[in-house]
Amino acid sequence: CDEPTGALDSETGVIVLKLLLSMAKDYDKTIIIVTHNQNIAKMADVVVRVKNGKIVSETKQENPLKVEEVEW
């Protein structure tokens, strides 16, 4: 998903993110979200940072935030 919450209000953004996480769990799939929003990245299991087209870091987050905890 490329900026799936970019043009949404916070309430709708939460709905979209919850739906994506639910689908990942229900279908045992990986969801990749591309975002500039550092707060949304805090809810990911793994954050891959890219600069100038190259991976600069990959971090596994031990305690990702719940969607409801993300600050908009």
Side-chain angles (χ1 to χ4, degrees):
C1 303
D2 184 8
E3 298 282 0
T5 61
L8 303 177
D9 60 90
S10 60
E11 185 177 320
T12 306
V14 167
I15 292 168
V16 168
L17 292 174
K18 282 184 174 182
L19 177 62
L20 289 169
L21 291 177
S22 174
M23 290 174 57
K25 182 179 178 184
D26 292 348
Y27 296 101
D28 194 29
K29 300 294 179 188
T30 298
I31 303 292
I32 297 172
I33 298 175
V34 177
T35 184
H36 290 93
N37 186 329
Q38 297 297 315
N39 291 325
I40 291 175
K42 293 176 184 177
M43 61 172 266
D45 295 322
V46 177
V47 176
V48 177
R49 298 193 191 283
V50 177
K51 183 174 182 178
N52 298 322
K54 297 187 185 219
I55 295 173
V56 294
S57 69
E58 183 178 332
T59 307
K60 181 174 175 32
Q61 300 192 124
E62 296 297 324
N63 297 303
L65 294 181
K66 295 179 181 173
V67 175
E68 299 83 11
E69 297 173 321
V70 173
E71 290 186 33
W72 295 85

